[in-house]
Amino acid sequence: MGTKNTPIPYAWFVFCNNQLLIMRSPNEYHIPYGEQPPTDVPADSTIHTIGTINGHTAKAYSIPNPIPDNADNIYIMVELRASFDLLPENEYNMGGKAFQILNWDKNSRYCPMCGVPTTQVSPIAKCCPKCKQEFYPRISPAIIVLIKKEDAILLVHARNFKGTFKGLVAGFLEPGETLEECVYREVMEETGLHIKNLKYFGSQSWPYPGGIMVGYTAEYESGTIKLQDEELSTGGFYRRDNLPELPKRLSIARKLIDAWLEGKV
């Protein structure tokens, strides 16, 4: 990590697809720090400046092949989601930003209007030199809501969940909607329930690959659960003494559930 007299100038976020390069030591994991990139930088890979972390400039680039994992290698490659369990929180968060920048870079190399190669004009902006359109990293807003009914909360299993845990009703914002309208619509579409007393809880960057989750709490008002079959496989109200497997702690879904368990919402 460097010393006071010889600061190391760069923190390196290196991705192969959705896998992040991590440096391991006997007691901890970190992203690599150093004056030079920790791997060869491919000729067609742009090194992006994405901010600062721990007093160092953060850089990000992509490599085509993962670093082999062996006992002699100080580096391992871990999926971004799994890196939450290994890295300090600020490094995991910056890794999410790096992943979104690299994904945007890969998908915005050509203007969708005229096919001309784009030019990067700032850390998060590209421009078409022909038609002058500008392109920025796309962030997709989604809502997620914890619905309370007396001493229970609604938990559902979405068909796209990777695992058997149950989470909260969630969905993407549609054009022309407010966030609040999106909550009411998603709850009605997915469960057939009416809710009331909608309250904002918080938000979370969700770089899988480029979302932001906006969290709410609400109370059950009326209706009988009728699950949207193509979206949800199971769902019901659960009390504190009969909770199923819950989402991992990295998610705002778990933060909402934990806040309810602690009597904060």
Side-chain angles (χ1 to χ4, degrees):
M1 298 288 289
T3 66
K4 184 176 181 180
N5 295 326
T6 58
I8 297 173
Y10 301 123
W12 296 98
F13 292 83
V14 183
F15 277 89
C16 177
N17 297 320
N18 68 338
Q19 291 188 307
L20 174 63
L21 186 72
I22 294 178
M23 186 174 181
R24 58 185 170 189
S25 65
N27 299 316
E28 60 186 4
Y29 293 86
H30 282 284
I31 51 93
Y33 290 78
E35 294 187 9
Q36 299 299 322
T39 73
D40 293 334
V41 181
D44 61 348
S45 183
T46 301
I47 297 179
H48 296 266
T49 299
I50 60 170
T52 59
I53 184 169
N54 298 328
H56 306 294
T57 299
K59 301 277 189 177
Y61 64 93
S62 297
I63 56 176
N65 300 304
I67 302 298
D69 186 14
N70 60 67
D72 298 325
N73 198 340
I74 63 171
Y75 298 123
I76 60 172
M77 299 210 74
V78 178
E79 288 189 359
L80 176 61
R81 194 185 296 255
S83 73
F84 176 83
D85 297 322
L86 301 175
L87 293 175
E89 185 174 1
N90 64 337
E91 293 187 355
Y92 163 76
N93 290 335
M94 186 65 77
K97 179 179 180 179
F99 181 68
Q100 291 180 82
I101 295 294
L102 294 173
N103 191 58
W104 162 70
D105 183 40
K106 179 179 68 175
N107 293 316
S108 61
R109 294 182 179 178
Y110 297 92
C111 174
M113 291 294 292
C114 56
V116 171
T118 57
T119 301
Q120 190 157 350
V121 294
S122 84
I124 57 168
K126 291 187 179 184
C127 182
C128 173
K130 183 178 180 181
C131 67
K132 306 305 179 182
Q133 282 203 88
E134 295 182 346
F135 308 97
Y136 302 90
R138 185 170 66 181
I139 300 172
S140 301
I143 60 84
I144 187 166
V145 57
L146 180 139
I147 301 169
K148 299 177 286 184
K149 182 181 180 183
E150 299 174 349
D151 62 345
I153 57 172
L154 180 66
L155 295 173
V156 297
H157 183 270
R159 296 192 183 278
N160 64 353
F161 284 173
K162 295 181 179 178
T164 58
F165 66 90
K166 289 183 173 64
L168 305 177
V169 172
F172 285 101
L173 185 72
E174 292 186 354
E177 272 187 326
T178 66
L179 291 165
E180 293 77 14
E181 289 169 342
C182 181
V183 177
Y184 288 112
R185 175 184 55 78
E186 286 288 346
V187 172
M188 174 56 64
E189 287 180 354
E190 295 194 2
T191 69
L193 299 180
H194 294 277
I195 57 173
K196 62 182 180 179
N197 296 336
L198 187 65
K199 295 181 181 179
Y200 175 75
F201 174 82
S203 63
Q204 178 185 44
S205 174
W206 196 246
Y208 305 109
I212 182 167
M213 299 291 292
V214 183
Y216 290 88
T217 64
E219 295 178 6
Y220 166 86
E221 183 174 50
S222 63
T224 301
I225 294 175
K226 185 178 180 181
L227 298 178
Q228 187 178 34
D229 186 64
E230 62 268 27
E231 296 284 343
L232 304 177
S233 59
T234 60
F237 283 96
Y238 292 83
R239 298 186 306 274
R240 288 173 172 81
D241 59 359
N242 72 333
L243 290 176
E245 181 185 355
L246 299 176
K248 291 186 177 180
R249 294 189 182 278
L250 84 161
S251 67
I252 192 172
R254 183 59 181 269
K255 290 179 174 65
L256 276 157
I257 295 169
D258 286 347
W260 172 73
L261 287 170
E262 295 166 7
K264 296 178 179 178
V265 297

